[in-house]
Amino acid sequence: MQKEKDKAKENFEEYRIDLRQKDAPKEFYNILGDIGQDLPKPIDDTGESFALLQKVLPKGVLELEFSDKDHIPIPEEIRDKFKMVNRPTPIIRARQLEAHFGNKVKIYMKMEGFTYVGSHKINSSIPQAYYAKADGAKFVTTETGAGQWGSAVALAASLFGLESKIFMVKVSYAGKPYRRYLMNMFGGEVHPSPSELTGFGRGILRKEPDSPGSLGMAITDAVEYAKEHGGKYVVGSVVNSDLMFKSIAGLEAKKQMESIGEDPDYVIGCVGGGSNYAGLAYPFLEEELKAGKIRRRYIAAGSAEIPKMTKGKYEYDYPDTGKVLPQLKMYTVGHDFVPPPIYAGGLRYHAVAPSLSLLMSKGIVEARDYDQNESFRYAKLYSKIEGYVPAPETSHSFPIIEEIAKKAGSKKPVVLMSFSGNGMLDLANYAEAFGFDAAQKGAGKQ
Amino acid sequence: MQKEKDKAKENFEEYRIDLRQKDAPKEFYNILGDIGQDLPKPIDDTGESFALLQKVLPKGVLELEFSDKDHIPIPEEIRDKFKMVNRPTPIIRARQLEAHFGNKVKIYMKMEGFTYVGSHKINSSIPQAYYAKADGAKFVTTETGAGQWGSAVALAASLFGLESKIFMVKVSYAGKPYRRYLMNMFGGEVHPSPSELTGFGRGILRKEPDSPGSLGMAITDAVEYAKEHGGKYVVGSVVNSDLMFKSIAGLEAKKQMESIGEDPDYVIGCVGGGSNYAGLAYPFLEEELKAGKIRRRYIAAGSAEIPKMTKGKYEYDYPDTGKVLPQLKMYTVGHDFVPPPIYAGGLRYHAVAPSLSLLMSKGIVEARDYDQNESFRYAKLYSKIEGYVPAPETSHSFPIIEEIAKKAGSKKPVVLMSFSGNGMLDLANYAEAFGFDAAQKGAGKQ
């Protein structure tokens, strides 16, 4: 114990906890190995969705989707590519934010925004591109909304020498040019969805030429294009394999926290489909699940505008608006829920990944919802005092820290948060939310 | 020797060479300690410019500007803030770029784009904000074009609890909103220049209400505002103290290269005013200058559109278009040179820092100029194969590597390059240069 305390003290003058590339984890953690027997099975109610997935998903991904092994060796090529995109990411001690909360908590941030694409999404696109290549595919397809997932797929595909066809929701294609350009710089091919390239897309456009598109439509475009042209379709959230790939963040974080003799009392993060939060939390949960005793507190934050975790129902629902995929038992506000146009695009999803939903139903993971104003206050504060601009999604986790700090006693609790992405390409959204342009007009704007 | 080789080999499976925060350098390197006696002195031909600088520059900065000590201890608070913004930055072994050049060179990149502001500029704004605060200033002022330096100043000021008034060239204020928003997120106050806040700016606007502004005007705005309102003015390039602060990058890089048993044969980088290149190169030059024998090759790249290094004259010139600052002996294309509107805004400066100019005149540092097309080809290639988008300025260094690779023999030369910044906020410029929007129209753009 004394040794641990000394170690922690030794680190006190530093902010950054590095993990060298040679010490990177060599296995993924698959939570199905510990809770798989309790997980409600997917339902193929159309009689076609399983067959479709078998055709379009990479074989290796499909196998992992139903694996109940708890530790899965990471193929060397995947580990190599993780290093190429700046993994392991550091953990940052957010000392100025601690001061803001009266030094009542210790705050550690797992910085997923440090990857080259700027978010945790690359943790899953690299393995999926690897398995697509192993199948002999020449290209991968996927859908993207704001473009975080799409840029992660474009880069992963290029690193493996594959092409990528990214179907981007048309309204975002027009309104989020920076992430689209990023995909182009990575060598990705971006198509507005609904797309002229698929029968589905042409059908929509014939009826409604000005359709703004939706994530559900983009999924159908991407799946159909892969099916028709012999590519592989890759999935950016919700499914078991995706959550497993993203465990790389939590596995690194465990090593990093151990290296400084700290053990988190709270593991927190934001939830769109759940893979960001699961990626950090599950590797910490492992020992507790195996021991049958939960000793840490796990708290996930969503958007109050899409309150699936706090007001949704735990029931079977489609993961996609198009209803081509199997039904899953999830906390959901309904696959036809139309979310308001919030800036944290990554939180707009209607449901929570099956394994995370199960953990929530058992009370192992707690849920909070915060609205945009509450979250964005912290985005600005963090930028100013810590110097790093969080993604809009990420900023939804800060109010959890406020809650913890308010209740903290004399022993400082240790909080570990998933800093899911940076907000450099979301600056226009912040400017709009904070009225930067209007505020500066008085100062002589032309 | 064998031990060094083993070390290098051990690192072969890794891309990233970390330097832990506890091992960060504790002294700046001041090249004036080694070449100061040869450096032509500034000329105060107006009889007012020295007095003006004494009033508006932080006292600590002014003292360092003329110091001939070679090693300057870095105050603890500056070292602390460097850590807060993610220093030390890693060095990345660019193995895919090596493969592109037929594995004829080893390429190491000092990743200054990894700092929170995305460039090396923060290395100077932090020390200057520190010295401004030491003088009791409540705010700092500066000018900015594309916004790289402005965002570095906005963040540094906030970290020291100071306000910042950034005078941004009006045409960039309108056309580069992302960097302006970044300054706002950091708590900076951004004013278009020419500005209503100064007598100088009001004078210009009365005569020419639609003036697009210029860096020269913005300097005058910033200096006048500091003088009139009791703030301190901070300088983002060219002057000796600025180059010294930026030596932190090279000092880290020396430690990092030593840690893997590598010694660069070439030290390369791009030149706007020269502080980026000097920041990396000078700490390597030190031992050679002291020994009186140059053994490495030092090559700097500029923009062929502003060919100050290859076609400029080595003579006394003003560092500013407004001619309020003392004259310096520099390679220059003239303070009234109107550069074409290239995207690498940071390279548009008309002259080269005095100490770097001196080294060039002696043949110690070689110069190259490349045009935008040649440089941007590499920006796209690097993004696609290495996964990281370089700043437009940074991409001007890649053709030097091509030259080295073409001439390389059987012994692979080791190249160390300053990766001065990332291009995440320059994506719109790349899109325009590459015609991304036009190229995708055929694919169904609405």
Side-chain angles (χ1 to χ4, degrees):
Chain A
M1 276 310 286
Q2 189 54 42
K3 202 183 148 200
E4 278 181 8
K5 275 186 195 157
D6 287 348
K7 261 193 182 169
K9 203 172 160 224
E10 176 193 313
N11 188 61
F12 195 73
E13 289 127 49
E14 297 175 33
Y15 296 90
R16 189 173 72 195
I17 298 116
D18 295 316
L19 183 65
R20 291 204 41 189
Q21 295 197 316
K22 71 181 173 58
D23 299 321
K26 294 188 169 61
E27 296 180 336
F28 288 120
Y29 171 58
N30 176 23
I31 202 166
L32 295 200
D34 291 310
I35 64 163
Q37 68 285 0
D38 297 336
L39 198 70
K41 297 278 171 285
I43 297 176
D44 181 9
D45 65 346
T46 63
E48 290 173 17
S49 58
F50 283 2
L52 179 66
L53 290 181
Q54 271 173 344
K55 189 170 165 75
V56 298
L57 290 186
K59 216 166 68 186
V61 172
L62 206 62
E63 274 168 21
L64 290 170
E65 182 64 23
F66 298 105
S67 167
D68 59 2
K69 274 186 63 181
D70 54 357
H71 293 168
I72 309 277
I74 309 177
E76 201 177 328
E77 259 195 276
I78 294 177
R79 287 192 278 128
D80 183 61
K81 298 295 187 270
F82 277 163
K83 291 175 189 169
M84 279 181 51
V85 300
N86 203 29
R87 299 214 72 84
T89 56
I91 283 179
I92 298 288
R93 176 97 183 256
R95 295 187 193 280
Q96 292 78 240
L97 190 62
E98 291 181 7
H100 172 81
F101 287 127
N103 290 309
K104 293 207 168 140
V105 283
K106 289 187 190 177
I107 305 168
Y108 291 94
M109 300 291 188
K110 178 63 171 166
M111 301 304 279
E112 292 301 293
F114 279 36
T115 70
Y116 284 0
V117 297
S119 83
H120 70 110
K121 294 279 187 186
I122 194 77
N123 302 343
S124 179
S125 63
I126 283 176
Q128 292 188 68
Y130 167 82
Y131 288 112
K133 189 179 183 182
D135 287 348
K138 293 282 174 281
F139 68 89
V140 294
T141 73
T142 200
E143 73 285 348
T144 197
Q148 295 265 23
W149 171 241
S151 47
V153 170
L155 177 55
S158 278
L159 294 183
F160 283 104
L162 301 175
E163 289 177 24
S164 58
K165 319 264 182 187
I166 319 283
F167 293 87
M168 187 170 187
V169 177
K170 204 205 257 175
V171 63
S172 299
Y173 184 98
K176 297 263 185 184
Y178 271 66
R179 285 229 171 75
R180 171 156 58 83
Y181 299 150
L182 182 59
M183 293 183 243
N184 292 149
M185 287 297 279
F186 289 149
E189 204 181 274
V190 191
H191 301 282
S193 167
S195 169
E196 296 283 359
L197 301 183
T198 68
F200 167 80
R202 287 188 296 268
I204 301 270
L205 290 170
R206 207 172 308 125
K207 282 184 286 184
E208 195 191 343
D210 292 330
S211 165
S214 72
L215 212 50
M217 292 182 197
I219 291 175
T220 311
D221 270 331
V223 169
E224 182 182 320
Y225 192 90
K227 191 179 74 173
E228 300 289 321
H229 297 84
K232 289 293 168 184
Y233 169 69
V234 295
V235 189
S237 193
V238 175
V239 300
N240 299 326
S241 50
D242 175 72
L243 270 57
M244 187 195 74
F245 297 141
K246 285 174 178 157
S247 70
I248 189 70
L251 292 159
E252 290 172 5
K254 272 194 78 172
K255 287 189 169 209
Q256 288 164 304
M257 295 301 278
E258 280 163 21
S259 77
I260 54 163
E262 288 275 35
D263 187 31
D265 300 299
Y266 293 84
V267 182
I268 70 172
C270 65
V271 171
S275 69
N276 163 58
Y277 182 70
L280 181 67
Y282 285 5
F284 284 90
L285 256 174
E286 178 181 5
E287 49 160 293
E288 297 168 66
L289 291 170
K290 284 188 160 75
K293 187 170 163 24
I294 306 299
R295 63 182 180 86
R296 298 187 183 95
R297 282 184 68 187
Y298 294 87
I299 310 180
S303 160
E305 287 85 354
I306 305 107
K308 58 215 175 200
M309 298 194 296
T310 53
K311 293 181 185 157
K313 285 184 186 151
Y314 185 41
E315 63 188 17
Y316 274 95
D317 191 12
Y318 295 97
D320 60 317
T321 18
K323 301 200 274 186
V324 299
L325 300 176
Q327 289 202 55
L328 303 168
K329 192 167 181 188
M330 308 181 284
Y331 278 95
T332 176
V333 284
H335 63 272
D336 49 6
F337 182 84
V338 179
I342 61 164
Y343 295 123
L347 303 186
R348 296 180 89 233
Y349 193 66
H350 66 277
V352 181
S355 61
L356 187 55
S357 289
L358 177 65
L359 293 168
M360 286 180 167
S361 77
K362 291 184 172 186
I364 293 173
V365 175
E366 302 167 50
R368 304 285 186 274
D369 277 333
Y370 304 106
D371 67 24
Q372 184 163 292
N373 286 347
E374 192 168 0
S375 308
F376 275 26
R377 270 195 308 126
Y378 282 108
K380 201 168 169 195
L381 175 79
Y382 197 88
S383 302
K384 191 173 170 178
I385 66 177
E386 293 277 348
Y388 190 76
V389 182
E393 293 81 3
T394 308
S395 62
H396 282 70
S397 302
F398 294 120
I400 307 177
I401 307 178
E402 180 184 307
E403 176 191 323
I404 296 168
K406 274 187 183 155
K407 290 187 202 152
S410 59
K411 185 189 166 298
K412 280 188 193 182
V414 174
V415 179
L416 176 64
M417 170 172 145
S418 174
F419 206 102
S420 56
N422 75 55
M424 293 302 265
L425 300 188
D426 302 291
L427 286 166
N429 296 342
Y430 284 129
E432 203 172 328
F434 293 125
F436 284 154
D437 283 324
Q440 301 209 327
K441 274 208 176 124
K445 188 171 175 273
Q446 65 281 21
Chain B
M1 275 311 287
Q2 190 53 44
K3 203 181 147 202
E4 277 182 9
K5 275 187 195 157
D6 288 350
K7 261 191 182 170
K9 203 171 160 225
E10 175 193 313
N11 188 62
F12 196 74
E13 289 127 52
E14 298 175 34
Y15 297 89
R16 190 174 70 195
I17 297 114
D18 296 315
L19 182 66
R20 290 204 43 189
Q21 295 196 318
K22 70 180 173 60
D23 299 320
K26 294 189 169 62
E27 296 180 334
F28 289 120
Y29 172 58
N30 176 23
I31 201 165
L32 295 200
D34 291 310
I35 63 163
Q37 70 285 1
D38 297 335
L39 199 69
K41 298 278 170 286
I43 297 177
D44 182 8
D45 65 346
T46 63
E48 288 172 17
S49 57
F50 283 2
L52 179 66
L53 290 181
Q54 271 173 344
K55 188 170 165 81
V56 298
L57 290 186
K59 214 167 68 188
V61 173
L62 205 61
E63 275 168 21
L64 290 170
E65 183 64 23
F66 299 104
S67 168
D68 59 2
K69 275 186 62 181
D70 54 357
H71 293 168
I72 308 277
I74 310 177
E76 201 176 329
E77 259 195 277
I78 294 177
R79 287 192 278 128
D80 183 62
K81 299 296 187 272
F82 277 162
K83 292 175 189 170
M84 280 181 51
V85 299
N86 202 32
R87 298 213 73 84
T89 56
I91 282 179
I92 298 288
R93 175 94 182 257
R95 294 186 193 282
Q96 292 77 238
L97 190 61
E98 291 180 8
H100 171 80
F101 288 126
N103 290 310
K104 294 208 168 138
V105 284
K106 291 187 188 176
I107 305 169
Y108 292 95
M109 300 290 188
K110 178 62 171 167
M111 302 303 280
E112 291 301 293
F114 279 37
T115 69
Y116 284 179
V117 296
S119 84
H120 69 109
K121 294 279 187 186
I122 194 79
N123 301 343
S124 178
S125 62
I126 283 177
Q128 292 188 66
Y130 167 83
Y131 289 111
K133 190 179 182 182
D135 287 347
K138 295 280 174 283
F139 69 90
V140 293
T141 73
T142 201
E143 73 285 347
T144 198
Q148 295 265 25
W149 171 241
S151 47
V153 171
L155 177 55
S158 278
L159 294 183
F160 283 105
L162 301 175
E163 290 177 23
S164 59
K165 321 264 181 186
I166 320 281
F167 294 86
M168 187 170 188
V169 177
K170 205 206 255 178
V171 64
S172 299
Y173 184 98
K176 296 264 185 184
Y178 272 66
R179 285 229 170 77
R180 171 156 57 85
Y181 299 151
L182 182 59
M183 294 183 242
N184 292 149
M185 287 298 279
F186 288 149
E189 205 180 274
V190 191
H191 301 283
S193 167
S195 170
E196 295 283 358
L197 300 183
T198 67
F200 167 79
R202 286 189 297 268
I204 300 271
L205 291 169
R206 208 171 307 128
K207 282 183 285 184
E208 194 191 345
D210 291 330
S211 166
S214 73
L215 213 51
M217 291 181 197
I219 291 175
T220 311
D221 269 333
V223 169
E224 181 181 322
Y225 192 90
K227 190 180 75 175
E228 300 288 320
H229 297 84
K232 289 293 168 185
Y233 169 69
V234 295
V235 189
S237 193
V238 176
V239 300
N240 299 325
S241 50
D242 176 71
L243 269 58
M244 187 195 74
F245 296 141
K246 284 173 179 159
S247 70
I248 188 71
L251 291 160
E252 289 172 5
K254 272 194 78 171
K255 286 189 169 209
Q256 287 164 305
M257 294 302 278
E258 281 163 18
S259 78
I260 55 163
E262 288 274 37
D263 187 32
D265 300 299
Y266 294 84
V267 182
I268 70 172
C270 65
V271 171
S275 68
N276 163 59
Y277 182 70
L280 181 67
Y282 285 5
F284 285 90
L285 257 175
E286 179 182 4
E287 48 161 292
E288 296 168 68
L289 290 172
K290 285 189 160 75
K293 188 171 161 24
I294 305 300
R295 63 182 180 85
R296 298 188 183 94
R297 281 185 68 188
Y298 294 87
I299 309 179
S303 161
E305 288 86 354
I306 306 105
K308 58 214 175 201
M309 297 193 297
T310 54
K311 295 183 184 155
K313 287 187 185 147
Y314 185 42
E315 62 187 18
Y316 274 95
D317 192 13
Y318 295 97
D320 61 317
T321 19
K323 302 199 273 186
V324 300
L325 300 177
Q327 288 202 57
L328 302 169
K329 192 167 181 189
M330 307 182 283
Y331 277 96
T332 176
V333 284
H335 64 272
D336 49 5
F337 182 83
V338 179
I342 62 164
Y343 294 124
L347 302 187
R348 296 179 90 235
Y349 193 66
H350 67 277
V352 181
S355 60
L356 187 55
S357 289
L358 177 65
L359 293 167
M360 287 180 166
S361 77
K362 291 184 173 189
I364 294 173
V365 175
E366 300 166 51
R368 303 285 185 274
D369 278 331
Y370 304 107
D371 68 24
Q372 185 163 290
N373 285 348
E374 192 169 2
S375 308
F376 275 25
R377 270 195 307 126
Y378 282 108
K380 202 168 170 196
L381 174 80
Y382 197 88
S383 302
K384 191 172 170 179
I385 66 177
E386 292 277 347
Y388 189 77
V389 181
E393 292 81 2
T394 308
S395 63
H396 282 71
S397 302
F398 294 120
I400 307 176
I401 307 178
E402 182 184 307
E403 176 191 323
I404 297 168
K406 275 187 183 155
K407 291 186 202 151
S410 59
K411 187 192 166 292
K412 281 189 193 182
V414 176
V415 179
L416 176 63
M417 169 173 144
S418 174
F419 207 104
S420 57
N422 75 54
M424 294 303 265
L425 300 188
D426 302 292
L427 286 166
N429 296 342
Y430 283 129
E432 204 173 326
F434 294 125
F436 284 154
D437 282 325
Q440 300 209 328
K441 272 204 176 130
K445 187 168 176 273
Q446 67 280 14

